[in-house]
Amino acid sequence: DQQVKQNSPSLSVQEGRISILNCDYTNSMFDYFLWYKKYPAEGPTFLISISSIKDKNEDGRFTVFLNKSAKHLSLHIVPSQPGDSAVYFCAASAFGGATNKLIFGTGTLLAVQP
Amino acid sequence: EAGVAQSPRYKIIEKRQSVAFWCNPISGHATLYWYQQILGQGPKLLIQFQNNGVVDDSQLPKDRFSAERLKGVDSTLKIQPAKLEDSAVYLCASSRGTGANTGELFFGEGSRLTVL
């Protein structure tokens, strides 16, 4: 039962353009969402998060949008840079993250072409 | 601040053999996690410790996997006997507290296990 889904295994974008990575979830108890970035041979690193009481959170070039009714969130990267090339994981937790039990999606490989 | 340390980085064993992974979390982090990441999948939580007590081990295959956290600091994850399907990257992570909104998880580089 895949509670967090990232349906696009890969995405290729030109440098300077917008990258949009999508994530869907099925568990209505999820109320905290995070994006992690992973380079090859490294562990995932935290990128940005959003609570279900918000519909948008912005940090520099990265913005996460949450649509609770659609159980959908997206990560926008503007402008995209070659250094953004990595695997991006969407993760979700319940109860305000009280247990910190994160459920991860399968990841989307982003390739930013110079 | 030093990051989460894991060893070994790579391990190749034959099925039915045993293996152990070690993790040293960030100093002062109360919560420690072991995740399993199979190729093409997202990380899956195996076990979560709060100090040296287990908070969640619902997805740990207890017939072959065991984990402990000594004195609330370092942790070891053991697999005995290993199966082919245990081939994966084992990620250790730590966080200051239990709440995701009090700080994100910090991951180590992972230990890649290949079972032949």
Side-chain angles (χ1 to χ4, degrees), chain A residues 25-45:
Chain A
Y25 61 96
T26 58
N27 190 338
S28 58
M29 296 299 292
F30 288 149
D31 58 4
Y32 197 78
F33 305 89
L34 307 91
W35 284 93
Y36 280 80
K37 175 178 174 180
K38 185 181 183 305
Y39 291 119
E42 296 184 12
T45 55

Side-chain angles (χ1 to χ4, degrees), chain A residues 99-111:
Chain A
T99 65
N100 235 358
K101 180 175 180 176
L102 298 183
I103 308 298
F104 284 84
T106 52
T108 296
L109 174 62
L110 173 65

